[in-house]
Amino acid sequence: QVQVEESGGGLVQPGGSLTLSCSASGNIASINAMHWYRQTPGKQREWVAGINTVGTTNYVESVKGRFTISRDNAKNTVYLQMNSLEPEDTAIYYCNAQRYGPNGMDYWGKGTLVNVSS
């Protein structure tokens, strides 16, 4: 089992910055990639960014150049640095730990709210 917990959400003005953290515990060695997703009421959960065990990163087009995903293996923590925030970035942000393969599994946190508003 793997547990993930997000932190760092809050209220920020348009153009501002915020850093989310995702702390993972449990059978970390089985995890192949970590991701951030976000969801707003009435919409499907949207994948935002991902990072694998060798540090390869990917982003949804709408956040490229503004968001940066990174990891600190010593702390079992993944970060999402968000700059130039827009009202459209307002959502609940979820951390996901993914295990590939025939015994693949997704582990989710409870989410943290990011509210971009003046």
Side-chain angles (χ1 to χ4, degrees), residues 1-7 21-28 31 33-37 45 76-78 93-99 105-112:
Q1 285 285 349
V2 175
Q3 296 78 40
V4 294
E5 182 174 6
E6 307 91 342
S7 61
S21 300
C22 172
S23 178
S25 61
N27 188 13
I28 304 301
I31 297 302
M34 299 288 290
H35 305 271
W36 286 98
Y37 287 73
R45 192 168 295 188
N76 292 329
T77 300
V78 172
Y93 283 70
Y94 296 91
C95 181
N96 166 270
Q98 184 184 29
R99 186 171 70 225
M105 185 68 70
D106 284 293
Y107 300 93
W108 294 92
K110 294 182 179 179
T112 185

Side-chain angles (χ1 to χ4, degrees), residues 7-108:
S7 61
L11 175 63
V12 61
Q13 291 187 341
S17 299
L18 205 60
T19 300
L20 304 182
S21 300
C22 172
S23 178
S25 61
N27 188 13
I28 304 301
S30 70
I31 297 302
N32 300 105
M34 299 288 290
H35 305 271
W36 286 98
Y37 287 73
R38 64 187 179 186
Q39 188 171 23
T40 55
K43 292 187 177 181
Q44 286 191 333
R45 192 168 295 188
E46 174 191 39
W47 173 82
V48 176
I51 185 168
N52 64 14
T53 53
V54 297
T56 302
T57 59
N58 284 286
Y59 302 90
V60 67
E61 192 66 33
S62 61
V63 307
K64 284 182 179 178
R66 300 190 298 124
F67 291 11
T68 302
I69 188 171
S70 62
R71 64 192 299 159
D72 185 334
N73 291 330
K75 296 182 178 180
N76 292 329
T77 300
V78 172
Y79 304 96
L80 186 67
Q81 172 69 44
M82 305 183 293
N83 299 324
S84 302
L85 282 162
E86 304 167 353
E88 293 75 22
D89 296 314
T90 295
I92 298 175
Y93 283 70
Y94 296 91
C95 181
N96 166 270
Q98 184 184 29
R99 186 171 70 225
Y100 302 156
N103 296 317
M105 185 68 70
D106 284 293
Y107 300 93
W108 294 92

